[in-house]
Amino acid sequence: MLKMLLASDEEVQEIANRLYISRAMLYRYISSLNKKTDTNSRIGLIQFYYTWKPEKKADRDD
């Protein structure tokens, strides 16, 4: 979902159609992504995507 939003310059309805979901469902996904990444827009998501670095998991000897 995030990759499609980042790679596409299409309108939201066109993206929803390509994903076979409603526009309202796509807006819910975008809203959820914005909350999780503390962003407010598609541009914010793009900036987050290109600056995000995954956390390294510590090795455990259990």
Side-chain angles (χ1 to χ4, degrees):
M1 175 71 64
L2 180 58
K3 284 185 179 183
M4 179 167 277
L5 285 171
L6 298 177
S8 176
D9 61 352
E10 297 175 319
E11 297 292 325
V12 172
Q13 183 63 55
E14 294 169 349
I15 295 171
N17 291 342
R18 289 183 59 192
L19 294 171
Y20 301 104
I21 60 175
S22 70
R23 185 174 64 194
M25 177 60 74
L26 182 56
Y27 277 124
R28 285 192 290 270
Y29 278 120
I30 292 169
S31 176
S32 177
L33 286 170
N34 284 332
K35 285 179 185 175
K36 290 177 181 179
T37 60
D38 196 27
T39 59
N40 296 317
S41 65
R42 191 186 294 188
I43 292 172
L45 287 172
I46 291 169
Q47 291 171 338
F48 175 85
Y49 179 79
Y50 286 109
T51 60
W52 178 75
K53 292 179 177 51
E55 296 176 12
K56 291 185 178 182
K57 293 183 180 181
D59 291 331
R60 293 172 32 178
D61 294 330
D62 292 336

